[in-house]
Amino acid sequence: MTLALNLAVPAVAGARLDVPLVGTDLTVPYANLDHAASAPCLEAVQDAVNELIPWYASVHRGAGFASQVSTRVYEQARDVLRRFVGAHRSDTVIFTRNTTDALNLLARAVPAGTSVVLFDTEHHAALLPWRGPHVFRLPTPPNPGDAVLALEDALRSCPAGPRLVVVTGASNVTGEVWPVARLAEVARRHGARIALDAAQLAPHRPVDIQALDVDYVALSGHKLYAPFGAGALIGRADWLRAAPPYLIGGGATRAVTSRGVSWSDGPERHEGGSPNVVGVHALAVACSTLARHWDAIITHERDLLARLRSGLASVPGLRSLSLFGPDHDRVGVVSFTVDGRNAGLLAAVLSAEHGVGVRDGLFCAHIATRRLLGSGDRALRASLGLGSTAEHVDRLIAGLHDEPRWDYALVDGRWAPSADSRPLPPFIANA
Ligand code: PLP
């Protein structure tokens, strides 16, 4: 089950990509075009996890040698993450479960009375955690220039006090890249901080806190080819140091007496409980692996995205969703509808008859996706990554041209083949 696909042969002319992945030889044919949801595991990550497991022990707590090794692994990962996003030395790195957790942590840490400004296109993880009377949701802008103007207007009329802008690096619906540096420049002029939801951008492009001039970056390991349950919030330490601990318990404290608690003021203030050292190590190894291969990754995805988009354009009645128009810069994520075809059923057909894994629905960005859809209640999304090949893209396109041959029925609200001959792996109960 864990043989690597060595992509040393370029998927499309031009890129030389040698970043092997786990799980490319499943017992069913599987073209994974759902990297935007969760990416497969890098072989380097699996190897690093296997190497750490014998040493695995408690972090920050034990005097034993394995405990000291685990603590070192955990703490050195902060430096790797800091480097991965080009953070300042003074920035803090707090390990979380994922991007959702990181943005919820930041939402708890913003000082009372902070005005939070964001666009309603955000993923729910970035759209929903903010509380208080001063949350300003700006409508979907028609182009990046209008996004910048709308932010300028909103910040001009914000109440006095702290301000935070929240923006995604790349849309998880359309893949389109947001004008983060321009928005950061506006934020700065109006005394606002800016948080970057890098969940979708970080797996595709280098993210640089200093070059973009943002204050916080949130990201998820499982989208970065490190599916072991870790994510991170990286950025300015002051609000986080002053905020109430996010998870109250052991590890977050300096001292506890019968009279009160003194909380740690380092990153562990928000990392209560036993840290996920395996997940954090996996995340750090994934980040350093990607950082060594950016040129090849970008070329690989750019070429495959061009192939995907021209293939989709050949499908009758297919409409791609777009915020900023077809020529705007984007990562390898495309959502679309096909006239007269139910998106949920089509996703099931692609999976069952063509071995293609895509996502259907509203992608946890209901406002944006519904607006882009106009009518209809779901779209399909194909998303590329290191595991994608030209053959996967071609198989998707062929599947979209084909008529279904199997029978399908709705089971618990999802379309599924009435008779499914694909063997489940033996670790599934009743397989
Ligand atoms: N932000 C964006 C743009 C995303 O695409 C996602 C996940 O799809 C998230 C945030 C949330 O990530 P997670 O589910 O890892 O917390």
Side-chain angles (χ1 to χ4, degrees):
M1 291 286 281
T2 57
L3 266 185
L5 172 72
N6 192 320
L7 294 174
V9 179
V12 183
R16 185 171 174 80
L17 187 62
D18 188 8
V19 192
L21 294 166
V22 175
T24 50
D25 63 341
L26 301 180
T27 51
V28 294
Y30 191 55
N32 181 352
L33 292 177
D34 199 13
H35 286 74
S38 279
C41 185
L42 283 176
E43 223 180 60
V45 165
Q46 188 189 41
D47 290 348
V49 164
N50 287 339
E51 202 177 20
L52 173 62
I53 288 296
W55 292 95
Y56 166 73
S58 71
V59 171
H60 295 152
R61 288 166 168 78
F65 192 64
S67 211
Q68 290 170 20
V69 169
S70 289
T71 302
R72 288 273 281 272
V73 162
Y74 189 76
E75 289 303 326
Q76 80 189 12
R78 295 195 206 276
D79 288 332
V80 175
L81 266 289
R82 200 177 276 114
R83 276 198 302 280
F84 184 64
V85 297
H88 307 90
R89 285 258 21 112
S90 55
D91 285 337
T92 190
V93 177
I94 300 176
F95 290 116
T96 61
R97 286 176 292 177
N98 47 36
T99 304
T100 305
D101 203 24
L103 292 171
N104 273 268
L105 162 61
L106 182 59
R108 295 260 201 100
V110 295
T114 298
S115 298
V116 179
V117 186
L118 36 72
F119 290 93
D120 65 8
T121 35
E122 292 299 326
H123 185 281
H124 296 168
L127 186 73
L128 302 178
W130 318 100
R131 296 274 169 268
H134 306 311
V135 179
F136 303 100
R137 281 195 198 162
L138 311 180
T140 310
N143 56 61
D146 280 26
V148 174
L149 293 177
L151 180 65
E152 181 103 50
D153 281 351
L155 288 172
R156 208 176 277 135
S157 45
C158 267
R163 293 152 177 205
L164 177 71
V165 175
V166 184
V167 67
T168 189
S171 162
N172 69 308
V173 182
T174 66
E176 285 159 289
V177 174
W178 278 70
V180 177
R182 289 169 69 194
L183 296 171
E185 191 270 316
V186 174
R188 284 286 166 260
R189 255 191 294 111
H190 291 273
R193 296 189 182 190
I194 179 162
L196 176 63
D197 169 357
Q200 280 314 329
L201 186 62
H204 300 277
R205 308 255 176 102
V207 169
D208 191 309
I209 285 191
Q210 297 189 49
L212 294 170
D213 197 17
V214 297
D215 298 281
Y216 305 96
V217 167
L219 47 79
S220 293
H222 72 103
K223 293 190 197 287
L224 283 162
Y225 308 89
F228 290 88
L233 177 69
I234 304 135
R236 284 171 74 163
D238 51 353
W239 286 358
L240 290 153
R241 207 182 288 127
Y246 181 55
L247 272 179
I248 291 179
T253 59
R254 222 174 0 220
V256 182
T257 66
S258 48
R259 286 190 307 283
V261 184
S262 147
W263 299 103
S264 162
D265 61 4
E268 57 282 354
R269 178 184 188 84
H270 298 294
E271 295 174 349
S274 299
N276 175 10
V277 60
V278 175
V280 160
H281 185 50
L283 172 60
V285 170
C287 289
S288 30
T289 307
L290 295 187
R292 284 197 302 277
H293 292 277
W294 275 130
D295 287 349
I297 291 170
I298 290 167
T299 310
H300 170 78
E301 290 187 6
R302 188 200 57 212
D303 294 349
L304 280 182
L305 179 60
R307 190 180 190 104
L308 173 63
R309 292 181 76 200
S310 83
L312 291 175
S314 72
V315 178
L318 188 142
R319 184 173 70 87
S320 296
L321 306 190
S322 171
L323 291 164
F324 301 144
D327 299 329
H328 188 75
D329 184 22
R330 65 196 65 218
V331 299
V333 177
V334 183
S335 295
F336 56 91
T337 56
V338 185
D339 284 349
R341 300 196 70 176
N342 177 294
L345 176 56
L346 191 46
V349 172
L350 288 169
S351 170
E353 299 183 35
H354 302 278
V356 175
V358 293
R359 170 107 181 251
D360 67 285
L362 297 171
F363 318 123
C364 298
H366 289 187
I367 298 177
T369 314
R370 280 218 177 86
R371 184 156 307 145
L372 294 174
L373 275 172
S375 60
D377 62 352
R378 343 175 52 83
L380 286 146
R381 181 180 73 186
S383 51
L384 305 167
L386 296 178
S388 310
T389 65
E391 190 276 324
H392 291 173
V393 170
D394 296 349
R395 202 169 347 147
L396 167 70
I397 305 303
L400 290 169
H401 279 282
D402 231 14
E403 288 301 319
R405 282 179 290 269
W406 299 15
D407 292 328
Y408 295 82
L410 272 173
V411 181
D412 298 330
R414 288 200 67 82
W415 288 97
S418 302
D420 194 340
S421 58
R422 289 172 292 180
L424 286 167
F427 53 81
I428 301 284
N430 306 321

